[in-house]
Amino acid sequence: MKPAPTPPPPTGFTLPERLIVLAIVGVLLAAALPSLRTYTQNQQLAGAANAFLGALNLARSEAIRRGARVDLAPRDGIRWESGWLVFVNKPGDANLQFDAGDALIYSHEKLPDGLTMDTTLTDKSAPYIAYNGNGRTRNNMSDRAPLWGSWQFSLGGRSRLVRLGILGRARICNPADDVTCTFR
């Protein structure tokens, strides 16, 4: 009589081996989550500041291209966090917000929750930026009086600053890396 064939050795992992692997994966994930959160917040912050800088540059270039006033204002007319619009205000309209008859050029959605914007502008009457046909900023009363200022984007203890100069040119800076980057 022939002896019975021996069964093949078991394949795969045992339950204790699987539990050890799951524990190691759990520890690694727990260590990585704070870094992932910081990375996500940094990307949201940089994305919002870059989008705003892009809107300023778009408003300026459209004003030059059209040879006419182009405005940038908050969507809700009050808070920049609600998003912003770039538009051509209809002739003779003293309203600094987008309304019927204005030509919309660009619209940006609401910012992510927790991301805030603080603003300092030379014209404190309303939150807006207006460019005249030569690409310079202007206030609402006169196309010869410049408008300049800063927008500080903040999230999770970090910030980015968009600074608008007296000639209408904007730049972005990081206060953590640049000592000349101050909110004023």
Side-chain angles (χ1 to χ4, degrees), residues 15 17-18 23 25 31 38 49 54-55 57 59-60 62 76 87 89 115 127 130 135 140 145 148 161-162 167 171:
L15 182 60
E17 289 171 330
R18 289 179 187 179
V25 169
T38 300
N57 289 332
R60 184 172 191 252
E62 281 293 314
D76 68 0
F87 61 96
N89 215 346
L115 201 153
N140 198 41
W148 69 91
L161 201 66
V162 174
L167 297 177
R171 73 178 182 100

Side-chain angles (χ1 to χ4, degrees), residues 57-138:
N57 289 332
L58 175 64
R60 184 172 191 252
S61 67
E62 281 293 314
I64 293 168
R65 186 179 74 80
R66 294 168 186 257
R69 176 181 171 159
V70 174
D71 291 2
L72 170 67
R75 289 176 76 100
D76 68 0
I78 302 166
R79 298 178 56 245
W80 291 101
E81 291 92 344
S82 70
W84 46 84
L85 303 170
V86 176
F87 61 96
V88 178
N89 215 346
K90 63 184 166 280
D93 186 2
N95 183 4
L96 298 173
Q97 298 308 311
F98 181 77
D99 54 14
D102 295 343
L104 182 64
I105 297 171
Y106 172 76
S107 173
H108 190 276
E109 69 280 353
K110 177 183 179 296
L111 293 179
D113 291 336
L115 201 153
T116 60
M117 286 176 72
D118 294 315
T119 308
T120 299
L121 296 172
T122 53
D123 183 356
K124 297 180 183 351
S125 66
Y128 76 99
I129 290 295
Y131 284 95
N132 60 23
N134 65 9
R136 293 194 178 198
T137 57
R138 55 162 293 164

Side-chain angles (χ1 to χ4, degrees), residues 5-28:
T6 57
T11 58
F13 298 104
T14 64
L15 182 60
E17 289 171 330
R18 289 179 187 179
L19 291 175
I20 289 170
V21 169
L22 285 175
I24 291 170
V25 169
V27 168
L28 291 175

